[in-house]
Amino acid sequence: FNSLNHDMTLAEFKFIWYMEYSHRMWGRVVGLAYILPAAYFWRRGWLSRPLKGCVLALCGLVCFQGLLGWYMVKSGLEEKPDSYDIPRVSQYRLAAHLGSALVLYSASLWTGLSLLLPRHKMPETHQLLRLRRYAHGTTALIFLTALSGAFVAGLDAGLVYNSFPKMGERWIPDDLLAFSPVLRNIFENPTTVQFDHRILGIASVTAVTALYLFSRKIPLPRRTRMAVTSLLAVACIQ
């Protein structure tokens, strides 16, 4: 308020404050939704030995996610006497917080579906192994694309260029490698961060489409076909 937002009203501040407060409270509710039932099921002896390991890992991830959130927010509250730029959290910590959340969500979903749905017994053909490897690679690419989105958000890089498919009047902007050393551009140059996110996004959609087309050539269970089709639909919407 003293250095930048002189015209902010109390009502405007409360709006921001309650957004942050609600996010924290929701995170704590999520933590309790993991830990309390886990403790109950453990005490009742309903968890197998492998499942106990999964439950401990998930509960540990929940706690780690909360710790990362605190660490991230802390970076946005640090005094910067040499700069009166818009207050923002570290893009590195934001990416770590988002990445941890994605791992937690995916692991939770995988564990739940593994308990609810029996595994299909299928012959390990060469085509099926290739499909599985390709699906794992596509997953990694989507995860990397999401992390690059955190860098876009952390640097407000979405405000730099708002035209597509070109960035301004050029396919490759002039200031793509403006920072020194060159490696800094990938994580700290808003232009490069947005450029990378675009390329990764296009690559992800292409990989998902290729995965879908490849899966059509293989006899797969109905549930698997629904999953691949849903993946393509969500990729196009995204």
Side-chain angles (χ1 to χ4, degrees), residues 17-227:
W17 190 91
Y18 277 117
M19 284 181 67
E20 174 68 21
Y21 182 74
S22 300
H23 183 66
R24 291 182 182 208
M25 291 300 106
W26 186 255
R28 288 165 185 168
V29 168
V30 170
L32 291 175
Y34 267 88
I35 294 168
L36 294 181
Y40 177 75
F41 295 153
W42 193 299
R43 186 173 179 81
R44 298 283 292 185
W46 293 349
L47 303 179
S48 64
R49 189 178 180 87
L51 194 54
K52 285 181 177 178
C54 287
V55 166
L56 283 176
L58 289 172
C59 289
L61 261 176
V62 169
C63 297
F64 178 68
Q65 174 69 3
L67 185 66
L68 263 182
W70 166 82
Y71 186 60
M72 178 192 71
V73 171
K74 184 174 179 288
S75 68
L77 301 175
E78 292 169 353
E79 292 287 344
K80 300 180 179 69
D82 58 335
S83 172
Y84 290 133
D85 193 9
I86 297 171
R88 56 166 62 94
V89 298
S90 162
Q91 69 271 26
Y92 297 101
R93 299 184 194 184
L94 178 61
H97 190 50
L98 175 65
S100 174
L102 289 173
V103 170
L104 174 60
Y105 182 79
S106 301
S108 303
L109 191 62
W110 184 272
T111 303
L113 291 176
S114 299
L115 294 171
L116 292 170
L117 303 172
R119 290 192 66 163
H120 286 293
K121 302 293 183 182
M122 297 180 62
E124 295 286 327
T125 62
H126 178 66
Q127 278 188 316
L128 189 64
L129 290 173
R130 277 185 62 197
L131 179 67
R132 184 178 294 144
R133 282 197 297 267
Y134 193 71
H136 290 164
T138 304
T139 302
L141 180 60
I142 293 169
F143 182 74
L144 185 63
T145 304
L147 287 191
S148 74
F151 281 89
V152 172
L155 291 170
D156 283 336
L159 304 176
V160 181
Y161 291 98
N162 55 15
S163 56
F164 187 85
K166 289 185 177 181
M167 297 178 73
E169 298 298 319
R170 303 176 66 89
W171 289 101
I172 300 176
D174 292 331
D175 53 342
L176 189 68
L177 299 176
F179 290 14
S180 182
V182 175
L183 191 62
R184 270 188 64 207
N185 290 279
I186 299 174
F187 306 106
E188 298 180 13
N189 184 341
T191 298
T192 312
V193 166
Q194 191 193 127
F195 181 82
D196 291 344
H197 187 59
R198 289 175 179 226
I199 298 301
L200 287 168
I202 293 166
S204 293
V205 173
T206 304
V208 170
T209 304
L211 179 68
Y212 171 79
L213 294 174
F214 182 47
S215 72
R216 303 295 294 175
K217 300 177 181 178
I218 306 173
L220 294 172
R222 180 172 176 272
R223 197 172 75 207
T224 309
R225 288 205 175 280
M226 285 178 60

